[in-house]
Amino acid sequence: MAGVNLQFKTNYAASSKIEPFYKGGKVQISKDEKYIFCTCGSRVNVLEISTGKIVHCVEHDDQEDITSFALSSDDELLVTASRALLLKQWDWKQATCTRTWRAIHNVPVASMAFDSTSTLLATGGCDGTIKLWDVVKQYCTHNLKGSSGVVHLVQFHPDIDRLQLFSSSLDCGIRMWDLRSSQCVCVLQSHYSAVTSLSFSHDGDTMVSSGRDKICTVWNLNSRKAIKTVPVFEAVEGVVILPQNEDLSQIGVKSKELHFVTAGSKGVLRVWEASTARCVYTQTLPTTFSSSPAEGDEGKDDDNPRGLTHLFHLPTSSRLTTVTAEHNILLYQLPALSTQHQFVGYSDEVLDVKFLGKGDSHIVVATNSCQLKVFELLTNNCQILYGHTDTVLTLDVFKKGFLFASCAKDRSVRVWQMDGDSGQVRCVAQGCSHTNAVGSISCSRLKASFVVTGSQDCTVKVWDLPAQFSAEEEEIHHLSARTTEKAHDKDVNSVAVSPNDKLLASGSQDRMAKLWSLTADGNVGLLGVFRGHRRGVWAVCFSPVDQVLATSSADGTTKLWSLQDFSCLKTFEGHDASVLKVIFVSRGTQLLTSGSDGLVKLWTIKTNECVKTLDAHQDKVWGLHATRKDDRMVTGSADSNITVWEDVTEVELAEEQAKQEDQILKQQELSNLLHEKKYLKALGLAISLDHPHTVLTVIKAIRQGENSQTLLEKTLLKLRIDQKESLLRYCVAWNTNARNCHDAQAVLQVLLTHLPPEELLQYQGARTHLEGLIPYTERHMQRISHLLQASMFLNYMWQKMRVTGDPSSMDKDEEMDTTPLGKPFYVIDKEKGKVGDEIRDDADDNDSGQDEDPDCPAEMDEDEAEEVSATTKACVIVTPAESRKSPEASGNHSSESEEESSDEEDVEIIEVDETAAKGETCLPVSSASPSQTPSS
């Protein structure tokens, strides 16, 4: 093995990411031409053009997809519409929602636009109506009806003095609305398919419209007539009138007549002269792009993946911007239409990724597409390389990093070269002789002399490269295979060339890896077979310093093999699914593996130990590559994300450890402060840790003591403003949980009671926090109200039972009496079947505080007796038979043994129903034990 005096890698941290930011839909560029706004599901992402980074992200809390959005002309306000039929106004620089209101539309909003003053907002709905909103005074000003179907286009006339709005819907007409009268003054009829774009001249008197019916129409807005209909022979998605005061002769503008640019299904920009309806310029794509559709294939333009979906003119910087059907955003500089920036909005699955260029400044990416993408890591600017005609499956880079090779499902292999100065990449060689998809490729290591490919046709081919490639861009060298070898019985998944270019390893779906010799004369000879994997082998890799081969398999293991006796030296187990890639780092002393479980693992070979697991992605990690110094690595996944990782140095690890120790010390200090009941210092320390749960623990401790409300008020009001801001933010999270809502409400009561509204509204995100508190607070109030109603109903039922059992309380006012019920009993005359006249209730006498003669029985009138006797299934307590001989005897006996009978007398519990009122005998339900019967 390699020397042990090396510094092992212990951790990799993500330094940058290339994530999807645009998946189709609307795109808008800010007035200052610095930012691109684009939709991505439930988000609007803000891309900074100069850096290629996502600097802001606006996302709906309800996770509903955004159907449309509009940026105001002064770049201050952003309004979004979602499928929940809500309009949200955003301070997009702070990513905070400042206002939410109902869209009034019955169905989602399909289009939106601001006027030039940034005060009026038009929304076109799928219900065929258009609403106009005054975003300053916050009310709806117009409700324009008359469109048929979805209003997919709304646009204000640039001259605000005209107060005109243009719209288009499914009837293909362009409606001109007079906002003074709220009437449609005319319908411009020319198109026979959807109108996609409108562009106005500088004086505002001329308008050009484009449509998917492959024509553009020039309109005179004063006469409201069509001046010219220009057939453009492609479905047009965007049109822009070119400025007349600039020299644009390089793109065919030779006169002062009106010229406009179209972008559509052909994927190229074309310039048209309006007066003659003649195309004066057609954009020429670079040679690395595949050719345009052949003659006679016009019908296939609609399915062209490079078709253009949007076109914008940036007058300040004199640029044109296009958006492709593949979600790429391209910026061209006028007058030459030279490519300035290319941004990839969505890459689909990432199948392979490699570092490229001087100092590993670029990465080349193979996605689920026939194009290759070369990203500059500093700016995220991207070159899109066309050449393959089917999905590119894998890549490999030569030693110096300026030459790389690719292979694809189109059964071809291509070699690409990067210019060291300009960074431009072009195809310099190609070859095609495999009979099936080419799924693996490996470049020579010592110098750029050959490449090896493995295919689904079960063969391995060696391709010779020329000593030098032609400098002519148009010239592409044709490669021929010097050797073809039937290597395996199933697909060849991986091939690797040894560091000395003398050995070749291959891994296959047949569960085996094989070692081959590469001779100078081009022959390939089998040296040995590595057997041991239980499923197909996905990757093979040679150690850079030892006679060792690493293989990874679909059985979830990675194995190290000896090149001398082909024995298995070590097995690494840790992935829960297929291990897709394996590479050596730290001069052969460590391994990096990636799997279909989305994990990347760092292994130390000597100890056979996994020292770090990176939860890198949410799906299969197909791409894994490290720089020559192993200080960085890059991963690419089927979740469309690309992540660049940097090795964390010892200093950074020490800083991280110091932070953790500081956290532990602060936690101990916090515990001491709580024990000493120094709540103000404890609360301030908890807020500084930015742990909401820790802050909640302090609040609970304060509320558990005596005079908790007063203590809570004194503590909270002594906090600084920034601490109160954090506390308000924590309350929003606490309030979502019923177990913590009481603490949150207690804190809110203090803040809302003692702080003026002006101060609260100055807190960062205060409006959003308060809006988030309202729905959960209402839910808690509703829950408590239901609980209170249930408890009141229980009290009501208890009181009714007392009224039934105590006739003496019937003359009293019906109040909610919560005193405990005594021991009432009724004397039932079984012979007559009705309630007796003698009632005794010592408990009630004691509760009322009245002195009554026990010999004087309480009296009930006939109405009360009937009410009691008619009570259904009421349980009453009856005196023993000895005490029911006569009213006189009963009265005398009760006066003598009042205390004893109340505690020990033998009772019978019977059910009284309507039969008692009819003179029928009531049978006892249960009786007391005879042993409990008192002596007479």
Side-chain angles (χ1 to χ4, degrees), residues 40-67:
C40 187
S42 61
R43 306 191 306 271
V44 173
N45 290 316
V46 184
L47 178 74
E48 188 175 29
I49 295 177
S50 59
T51 63
K53 307 290 185 182
I54 300 297
V55 293
H56 302 288
C57 178
V58 167
E59 184 170 11
H60 277 224
D61 296 334
D62 54 11
Q63 300 298 314
E64 290 284 349
D65 284 351
I66 293 176
T67 58

Side-chain angles (χ1 to χ4, degrees), residues 533-737:
H533 284 293
R534 299 185 304 273
R535 300 188 67 181
V537 178
W538 276 115
V540 294
C541 182
F542 283 99
S543 169
V545 293
D546 295 320
Q547 298 293 313
V548 172
L549 179 74
T551 62
S552 63
S553 168
D555 61 11
T557 66
T558 302
K559 293 180 180 290
L560 285 184
W561 307 85
S562 170
L563 299 184
Q564 297 176 349
D565 57 6
F566 310 108
S567 62
C568 180
L569 302 176
K570 288 180 180 290
T571 299
F572 302 90
E573 296 180 341
H575 288 278
D576 295 331
S578 300
V579 185
L580 303 176
K581 283 291 176 67
V582 58
I583 58 174
F584 284 89
V585 293
S586 303
R587 293 176 60 183
T589 61
Q590 291 182 297
L591 288 174
L592 277 171
T593 60
S594 65
S596 57
D597 52 8
L599 302 178
V600 175
K601 291 181 177 288
L602 176 64
W603 308 82
T604 299
I605 295 176
K606 183 178 180 180
T607 60
N608 205 28
E609 176 189 10
C610 177
V611 296
K612 186 66 177 179
T613 298
L614 302 175
D615 191 1
H617 298 277
Q618 302 299 319
D619 208 340
K620 306 178 187 67
V621 183
W622 288 109
L624 177 65
H625 191 228
T627 60
R628 288 178 290 275
K629 296 181 180 179
D630 298 333
D631 56 341
R632 287 189 298 166
M633 72 169 176
V634 61
T635 56
S637 169
D639 62 7
S640 306
N641 293 326
I642 302 167
T643 306
V644 179
W645 308 79
E646 288 189 3
D647 177 39
V648 181
T649 63
E650 290 294 329
V651 175
E652 292 170 330
L653 285 175
E655 292 177 353
E656 184 67 24
Q657 185 176 0
K659 288 181 181 178
Q660 293 177 359
E661 293 176 353
D662 184 56
Q663 292 279 347
I664 295 174
L665 292 175
K666 287 185 176 180
Q667 290 287 349
Q668 183 61 44
E669 182 183 357
L670 178 64
S671 178
N672 296 336
L673 290 173
L674 288 177
H675 181 71
E676 298 170 2
K677 296 186 178 181
K678 296 180 179 180
Y679 295 122
L680 180 59
K681 291 184 177 180
L683 188 59
L685 180 59
I687 294 174
S688 68
L689 292 173
D690 197 22
H691 291 170
H693 181 72
T694 306
V695 179
L696 180 62
T697 303
V698 179
I699 296 295
K700 288 181 180 292
I702 296 174
R703 297 187 69 230
Q704 287 175 356
E706 297 181 358
N707 300 322
S708 59
Q709 187 62 29
T710 303
L711 181 59
L712 184 65
E713 290 180 1
K714 290 181 179 180
T715 305
L716 296 185
L717 295 178
K718 291 180 181 179
L719 294 175
R720 300 192 308 268
I721 292 180
D722 60 322
Q723 293 174 329
K724 293 176 184 176
E725 288 181 356
S726 300
L727 199 59
L728 180 61
R729 174 163 50 88
Y730 299 153
C731 284
V732 178
W734 300 340
N735 197 48
T736 60
N737 193 322

Side-chain angles (χ1 to χ4, degrees), residues 749-760:
Q749 181 182 2
V750 175
L751 296 179
L752 297 177
T753 303
H754 296 276
L755 299 181
E758 294 79 11
E759 180 180 343
L760 279 174

Side-chain angles (χ1 to χ4, degrees), residues 261-276:
V261 184
T262 60
S265 58
K266 289 184 180 295
V268 295
L269 297 176
R270 295 194 290 173
V271 181
W272 302 82
E273 188 177 39
S275 59
T276 61

